[in-house]
Amino acid sequence: MAATIQVDIVSAEQQLFSGKANEVFALAAEGEVGILPHHTQFLSTLKPGLVRIVSGDEEEHFFVAGGVLEVQPEVVTILADSALRAEDLDEARALEAKQRAEEAMQKAQSEIDFAKAESELAEAVAQLEAITKLRERLSKQGLTH
Amino acid sequence: MAGASKEIRGKINSIKNTQKITKAMEMVAAAKMRRAQTRMEATRPYVDKLKRVLGHVASAHPEYKHPYTQASEEKKIGLLVISSDRGLCGGLNNNLFRRCIQQIKAWQEGGAEVKLALIGRKAETFFKHVGGDVVASAVDLGDAPHLEDLLGSIRVMLDMLDNGELDALYIASNEFVNTMTQKPKIEQLVPAQPAEATEKKPVYWDYIYEPDAKTALDMLMKRYIEGLVYGAVVENAACEQSARMIAMKNATDNAGKIIKELQLAYNKARQAAITQEISEIVSGAAAIEG
């Protein structure tokens, strides 16, 4: 059997492939690259397209929407994007997040009122403690019945 | 006396109804927790591989050093707070907020400015009450959070890092220790902790970059931050479900105990009423006979 190289294809939401291969093809920033074992270190962005993994006579195909390709002599890592990405799309999302923050915080002051924060948290903690005490009391009574 | 026992019976019924609801919520949370845990496992490989690649990058001698890896004085700090959208999950969110408030106070005492990005409705409500310089917010992520919904808030923070409006980025979220325990934690994202060089070869090497070092490393760093944030959000979702399951289990148990107690009181009241009635009849009969 010919030399092999470890290949991992992962996206944020799942692992797509992990195993040995003889050769890997991917669509790098400046065109398709074929990677054989003992390839020199290589780092590239990926274009949307097919990743082909050849091992023996078998060939597996994966579609990636973009991402990062990293090659080390013994291992190839493909960090695939799970979401469709575009610069203006990201920009629109950022704007949305900002607006949402502005709307939500309209009446709030920009300085944190620590006294208020602490009293609010203390109240929540007191509630929890009261519940725990109630439980203890009930469980003690439970024993006597 | 009949009035008292009727009142108790009403109370027992209402607590039984509450118990049914908490029991149902417990079972729903248990099912959701299993799915959330599976999702959490599924994101691990991505984060692991990202860290591995970053470890490689750290051991290389790149021609271009990414600003996110450069340590600088932390005077303008961004904090990304990850909370749940819904309550009824015990002290999960409050413990996290307490940890955040302590940390923010410490930073401000050190003379740093803190800007916040919030994820989850609970964080929004909390900081609306207590104030805070909030620059981005995302809510309604649902049970299966998607990366797309987080990108906006992350982008706002990254843009501010690029403009020099921030020089450090932290993330606050709950760590899933096990089903019973969740721990609030604050982690530093930027400057990236110097990832340990995986191989300590004295060989001088660098990557071949496509299209160029800056573009490739910029994208890698961006994915790194996004991947870690997404991982934290998914982990927090698992924490939320397990905390809710425990809280609801406790509530169901407590309701059971209260019902037991009330049942006892009810039986006593009923017994007393019967005894009283009998003694009334007996004394009535005695009066007639006499």
Side-chain angles (χ1 to χ4, degrees), chain A residues 5 24-36 38-47 67-79, chain B residues 53 56-57 60 205-213 216-217 220:
Chain A
I5 185 163
V24 185
F25 296 93
L27 203 57
E30 277 155 24
E32 192 174 39
V33 289
I35 292 149
L36 292 165
H38 308 297
H39 192 284
T40 186
Q41 289 91 352
F42 179 67
L43 186 70
S44 169
T45 57
L46 279 179
K47 282 186 183 166
V68 178
L69 167 73
E70 196 241 8
V71 180
Q72 290 284 333
E74 308 296 333
V75 56
V76 177
T77 314
I78 293 173
L79 303 162
Chain B
V53 172
H56 291 157
V57 171
W205 64 274
D206 193 8
Y207 287 103
I208 301 171
Y209 297 97
E210 253 182 50
D212 56 77
L217 284 173
L220 180 64

Side-chain angles (χ1 to χ4, degrees), chain A residues 8 13 15 30 41 43 67 70 72 75 77 81 85 87 91 97 100 104 109-110 113 116 138 141, chain B residues 43 45 52 56 94 124 128-130 132-133 137 151 155 205 207-208 210 219 223 226 230 254 261:
Chain A
D8 295 304
E13 278 155 30
Q15 175 154 358
E30 277 155 24
Q41 289 91 352
L43 186 70
E70 196 241 8
Q72 290 284 333
V75 56
T77 314
D81 288 344
R85 304 295 293 270
E87 193 59 19
E91 203 63 66
R100 157 119 221 130
Q109 74 278 29
S110 67
D113 185 345
K116 204 170 173 185
L138 282 168
Q141 283 183 353
Chain B
T43 59
R52 185 173 79 188
H56 291 157
N94 284 315
E124 213 179 76
K128 192 176 177 182
H129 268 280
V130 305
D133 192 355
S137 168
L151 289 175
R155 176 63 182 257
W205 64 274
Y207 287 103
I208 301 171
E210 253 182 50
M219 179 140 168
R223 292 292 179 275
E226 287 167 1
Y230 179 72
N254 289 346
E261 231 172 79

Side-chain angles (χ1 to χ4, degrees), chain B residues 8-17 259 262-263 266:
Chain B
I8 295 174
R9 208 165 49 200
K11 246 185 200 166
I12 292 178
N13 280 336
S14 92
I15 293 177
K16 270 189 182 156
N17 285 336
I259 289 171
L262 286 175
Q263 191 71 52
Y266 171 73

Side-chain angles (χ1 to χ4, degrees), chain A residues 4-17:
Chain A
T4 56
I5 185 163
Q6 172 72 29
V7 183
D8 295 304
I9 305 181
V10 287
S11 78
E13 278 155 30
Q14 61 181 320
Q15 175 154 358
L16 297 169
F17 179 87

